[in-house]
Amino acid sequence: MSATPQKKRASRRVLAAAAGLATVGALVAAMPAGAHDRGHGGGHGHGHGHKPRTVDVQLLSFNDLHGNLEPPAGSAGNVSETQPDGTVKAIPAGGVEYLATSLRNARKGSPYSVTAAGGDMVGASPLLSGLFHDEPTIEALNKLKLDVSAVGNHEFDEGATELARLQNGGCHPVEGCYEKGRKFKGADFPYLAANVTKEKTGKPLLKPYTVWKRNGVKIGFIGVTLEGTPDIVTANGVKGLKFHDEVETINKYARELDRKGVKSIVALIHEGGAPASTSYNFDCDSPGAGDGISGPIVDIAKGITPKVDALVTGHTHQAYVCTVPDPAGKPRMVTSASSFGKLYTDTTLTYDRRTNDIVRTSVKSANHVVTRDQPKAADMTSLIERWNKLAAPIANRPQGWISADINGRGSTAPEKPLGNVIADAQLEGLAPADKGGAEVAFMNPGGIRADLVHKASGSEGDGVVTYGEAFTVQPFTNMMNVVDLTGAQVVTALQQQVSGPNEASPKILQVSKGLTYTLDLTKTGAARVVTDSIKLNGAAIDPARTYRVAMNEFLAGGGDGFPALGQGTNKLVGASDLDLFNAYLAAHSTAAAPLAPPATDRITVVR
């Protein structure tokens, strides 16, 4: 999902607080990692006699892991399952210890098994991975035997140079190696970025495609991120890069693979859709093929050449297994496996040895829950324990107390309780005249990455919010800005939540106390924001007046489809969003008087 990227300088500052965590080492340039020809059992149908004409290839896939090595907490760690009687059950899911077990069990009995990912494996990660620039996640993915991944927008959070380090290895250029005697090896799998080129040379940033081979079976994988990546990543993250149309790029490389004799092709696309139900077992082909899904992926799927046999998608954090017609009108599988490792998709591709192509009519696919009632993978437990030991001095530090869950990521409402807490923290921290004189604060919903959960995550006790938990909510450590905006610009920004690029999928800003308005969802576009209802501390917004507005630097740059917020002047740069959040928790809670979930009464929603 769109969100604001993590900053190296903030991470440096965090690590400096725990001197001795990192040992400084030189940047080591490793050889680029290629796709590995991994065996999961013997050959299929050979030995004595002739090979059968077809062979079933198992494609396992997942997307949007976001460095969630430990099971995600609270409602963000559940998947919805519709029961036979129509009721919906929440199932706790995810955690790399369980994902590893699920994938390893799924591969049993499938000698032709390939594992692929749809992007956003890293970025916006909990402290356990984010503190170490996501090296723990890459290490875990290597152990998972991931064969290939597309890049997502979050792979660009720290820029192209850092993405290249994740691929090729080498210790961090500033923080060095985190463990004595260990150098970061980089990804064993290729990251594919077919539609990302360098502005200066026009050449692809990373490999556009790779070919997986096993006993004469060849499947090409083309990987792209969404063309709109520059709109949802800070300018520094995409500096010097150009992002191209997903359909044109995939079609171009599909032709190239076809010329090379690779007839079986899978596209890994970090862009997605919205199914009509949030239940992972919803049939989005009811009543007809692809009828139950909407969003950008539908038009993309309809435009991609029939040479491509299946689409693995992501970005929207939704679960779906649909068939969307290709340009020839034939059904083609389009899948997405929610997020945070809570699901994986198991797709059967029947490969015809005579044509070297997939028999499209035989493609079958289903999403499976990564349940937490199965055995943990011991190697993943050991990996988590190792990195947790390094993170512990920072992660376990108490920041405040809460009386109950305060939902953020797990809330589907336009106004989220945790969004109100974050916006209030930003306003309070930046209201003093010498801190910027803020009168109102805006927080982008995609930047809220988790819930604050009352149940203890470790030994800290119920209700205690640790630094690690606060970091998981706001992992980007974005610097805050306070700017001058006119009342007219504030109104336009609120309208941009539900119009322009955000019309199809609204991004409702979380607002600080004192700002109230009505959101009328029965209307369309900008008219959904009832302009004469917008008030600040009871007074109507004056279009001609100048207001001091606080927001993170991502929003202040016009990110997430809010160009009006990028028009601010007289900018003052404040503390980081995480620092303000932690300061607010400390100021407003004690063990005896914990912070309660706030009321959500700032945005009146008409449906």
Side-chain angles (χ1 to χ4, degrees), residues 368-409:
H368 300 277
V369 181
V370 177
T371 59
R372 298 184 197 166
D373 57 2
Q374 59 185 321
K376 295 180 180 182
D379 57 337
M380 294 300 178
T381 303
S382 154
L383 180 149
I384 289 169
E385 286 173 352
R386 204 178 90 238
W387 287 103
N388 261 334
K389 196 172 177 184
L390 286 174
I394 295 169
N396 297 338
R397 202 183 302 149
Q399 302 298 311
W401 291 262
I402 56 174
S403 64
D405 289 0
I406 305 181
N407 285 343
R409 192 73 183 187

Side-chain angles (χ1 to χ4, degrees), residues 234 261 331 334 387 455 543:
T234 55
V334 180
W387 287 103
K455 184 177 170 59

